[in-house]
Amino acid sequence: MKNQNLKEMTRYAVMIALTTVMTMVVHIPTPGTKGYLNLGDMVVFLAAVMFGKKGGFIVGGLGSGLADVLLGYTHYAPITFIVKGLEGFIAGSLLETNLGEKAQIIPMALGGVWMAFGYYIAEIFMYGAKAALASMPGNIAQGLFGAVVATALSMALKKTGIFDIH
């Protein structure tokens, strides 16, 4: 039992670190909302595939929030923890349904759309409706790009047997 918990925590830690790194490696500032676009969503979605909704939430919230802190976007860290955590949770929850089994990209895309909407709501209060709306296309594109890449990666990784991690 203890060994299984250690394995699970180690896997989560690796994916949290990978989310942080992928978020930080390419981050494109968005001047209107003092935020940034990044590549971390694909790892959040991979975590949802690998670990389900719980892992999607933990990896999405902690990995993305940590990147905010390390990049100096601390004003976004609490929002990111919730928005990205729920992005992973939503994708992980929907991946467990018949829809997720048939078309894996749809649950991930819906998670990405939630992410854009979640930031939109927060940014209305932070910067006003116009700035929040201006950030929507970039956030939607970021989420959908992450969904497409994560779908392709997860299909390739499943063929290698890497997801058989018991």
Side-chain angles (χ1 to χ4, degrees), residues 47-113:
V49 171
M50 293 172 67
F51 309 129
K53 58 189 170 198
K54 175 184 168 190
F57 183 86
I58 292 169
V59 170
L62 292 176
S64 302
L66 181 58
D68 279 353
V69 171
L70 293 173
L71 287 170
Y73 294 90
T74 54
H75 59 287
Y76 268 103
I79 296 161
T80 294
F81 177 79
I82 294 167
V83 170
K84 294 286 190 149
L86 287 174
E87 175 185 41
F89 183 86
I90 289 167
S93 295
L94 294 174
L95 283 165
E96 296 170 2
T97 67
N98 287 335
L99 174 65
E101 290 177 19
K102 291 178 184 175
Q104 193 179 51
I105 193 164
I106 294 173
M108 292 186 215
L110 290 173
V113 169

Side-chain angles (χ1 to χ4, degrees), residues 94-159:
L94 294 174
L95 283 165
E96 296 170 2
T97 67
N98 287 335
L99 174 65
E101 290 177 19
K102 291 178 184 175
Q104 193 179 51
I105 193 164
I106 294 173
M108 292 186 215
L110 290 173
V113 169
W114 150 256
M115 177 270 299
F117 180 72
Y119 279 119
Y120 170 73
I121 296 300
E123 289 169 348
I124 285 174
F125 294 102
M126 296 169 72
Y127 305 110
K130 287 182 183 178
L133 187 59
S135 73
M136 283 288 285
N139 283 336
I140 290 171
Q142 172 184 306
L144 295 179
F145 178 78
V148 169
V149 173
T151 300
L153 281 173
S154 69
M155 290 183 348
L157 291 172
K158 282 181 181 176
K159 290 180 181 179

